[in-house]
Amino acid sequence: MDLADLWFCVIAVLWLGYLFLEGFDFGVGMLMPVLARDDTERRVMINTIGPVWDGNEVWLLVAGGATFAAFPGWYASLFSGTYLLLLLFLVALIGRGVAFEYRGKVDSDRWRRWWDRVIVAGSLVAAIGVGLLVATTVLGLPIDADGNRVGSPFAAVTAESLLGAAALVGFALVHGSVFIALKTDGDIRHRARAFAIRVGPWALLPLAGLLVVVQLTSGKWWTWTAVAVVLVVAALAFERLTAGREGQAFAALGVAVVATVVALFGALYPNVLPSTVDPAFSLTVADTASSPYTLEVMSWVALFGTPAVLVYQGWTYWVFRKRVSTAHIPPVHVP
């Protein structure tokens, strides 16, 4: 394995981390009007991700930065080809981030309800955007021999990429509801578990469909094995959830994320962005990689920097590992 292949794997791992962490993050935001019955319960839901949501988004920033540095050709074609979709996605991320910070600044039900809508809409739009981006990366974009997009600014919006958007939204709903059941106590915990058991199998159908489409398009025998792992551990997650073991169900969904990334990026390799115009125009790892010197410098930086980031983020989750209930929520206080 050369450094270009190594950094392809590193970027896949960064996407894995982002999908796992931000998956339940988006799910919590989308489920606020479904699981919470009053403002106190909405505050409980927000507090489950309050200390970690911004750290979760760092994985996306690092994935984008690593793509820019290690594979500038991939970065240029993908990001310019999906420019408007990325803009909507980033606006949604900014909106939900502002909403988390501002909803408690004024002691007004109307004020909080307005920002709650921004959280829900931002989480939904951002999940759709991530799904579209991942599906477009794996299934391809209409690009010419120079790596330029052919067609309209919304050429990335196809039936297959919309399936990817539905897959991400469905998974986020399941992942988020299991996370809420794991991190809360009382009525909201029971509602979250019931929602995941009742809706979860249906919500994961688009993900199963996306994996099958990708494998039929460019899959390999061992990526089919990863798809089988996704199906098995998803079934295990629901079985564990039914037994009231939310932690084990959450861990099983984590394995499902790992297997999903293996299936998608394994089917993509050695391409980094297939061309739907002509397979000969597809961008590959070898074609788009930076110089060996650049990749070597990046590898040394990552070798020393990554452990520090992982330790810090792991410590954050450990500190805030306890369950949250309405009994832990103090009265609203606006300075």
Side-chain angles (χ1 to χ4, degrees):
M1 176 184 290
D2 60 20
L3 287 178
D5 292 333
L6 172 64
W7 273 98
F8 178 83
C9 294
V10 169
I11 290 170
V13 171
L14 291 170
W15 273 106
L16 188 162
Y18 181 70
L19 293 173
F20 176 73
L21 296 173
E22 198 79 326
F24 67 74
D25 218 326
F26 290 150
V28 171
M30 288 187 286
L31 288 168
M32 281 177 58
V34 178
L35 299 180
R37 298 293 182 264
D38 54 35
D39 184 65
T40 301
E41 291 190 343
R42 285 189 286 274
R43 291 173 65 192
V44 167
M45 293 182 66
I46 292 173
N47 282 358
T48 62
I49 59 173
V52 298
W53 68 266
D54 48 356
N56 294 344
E57 292 182 356
V58 170
W59 288 80
L60 176 67
L61 298 176
V62 177
T67 305
F68 171 77
F71 301 98
W74 181 10
Y75 178 94
S77 294
L78 177 62
F79 281 49
S80 63
T82 58
Y83 183 82
L84 291 182
L85 296 178
L86 281 172
L87 178 62
L88 292 174
F89 165 60
L90 292 175
V91 169
L93 282 183
I94 293 169
R96 72 191 291 270
V98 171
F100 284 137
E101 300 296 333
Y102 273 74
R103 78 176 300 276
K105 297 298 184 183
V106 176
D107 187 9
S108 165
D109 290 338
R110 181 180 179 184
W111 172 270
R112 286 189 289 270
R113 283 196 300 269
W114 196 92
W115 286 114
D116 287 343
R117 295 188 188 102
V118 176
I119 293 173
V120 174
S123 299
L124 176 60
V125 173
I128 291 172
V130 173
L132 287 170
L133 185 63
V134 172
T136 298
T137 300
V138 176
L139 292 169
L141 191 67
I143 55 177
D144 60 21
D146 296 321
N148 298 319
R149 186 196 66 236
V150 177
S152 75
F154 292 97
V157 181
T158 63
E160 291 82 4
S161 64
L162 289 174
L163 179 62
L168 202 291
V169 171
F171 176 78
L173 289 172
V174 177
H175 203 30
S177 58
V178 174
F179 179 77
I180 294 168
L182 176 64
K183 286 290 294 176
T184 62
D185 210 351
D187 290 342
I188 193 169
R189 174 188 179 185
H190 300 306
R191 284 189 222 117
R193 187 168 62 212
F195 176 89
I197 294 172
R198 183 177 66 254
V199 178
W202 303 103
L204 291 183
L205 285 178
L207 176 59
L210 174 67
L211 291 173
V212 170
V213 169
V214 170
Q215 300 312 308
L216 291 176
T217 302
S218 57
K220 307 167 181 67
W221 69 265
W222 57 270
T223 56
W224 277 104
T225 303
V227 174
V229 171
V230 173
L231 298 178
V232 170
V233 295
L236 177 63
F238 292 120
E239 187 277 326
R240 291 288 78 199
L241 197 59
T242 304
R245 305 304 296 267
E246 295 99 340
Q248 294 177 6
F250 188 73
L253 288 176
V255 176
V257 175
V258 173
T260 296
V261 171
V262 169
L264 294 178
F265 280 82
L268 174 63
Y269 183 85
N271 293 327
V272 292
L273 186 62
S275 172
T276 57
V277 175
D278 186 336
F281 299 158
S282 298
L283 304 181
T284 68
V285 170
D287 294 338
T288 59
S290 293
S291 67
Y293 177 75
T294 300
L295 296 177
E296 183 177 353
V297 171
M298 291 176 61
S299 299
W300 281 109
V301 172
L303 180 64
F304 289 99
T306 302
V309 173
L310 291 177
V311 168
Y312 174 76
Q313 192 160 28
W315 176 78
T316 302
Y317 276 92
W318 175 255
V319 169
F320 295 100
R321 66 189 181 278
K322 299 287 184 66
R323 292 183 182 269
V324 183
S325 70
T326 54
H328 298 111
I329 303 301
V332 175
H333 173 70
V334 179

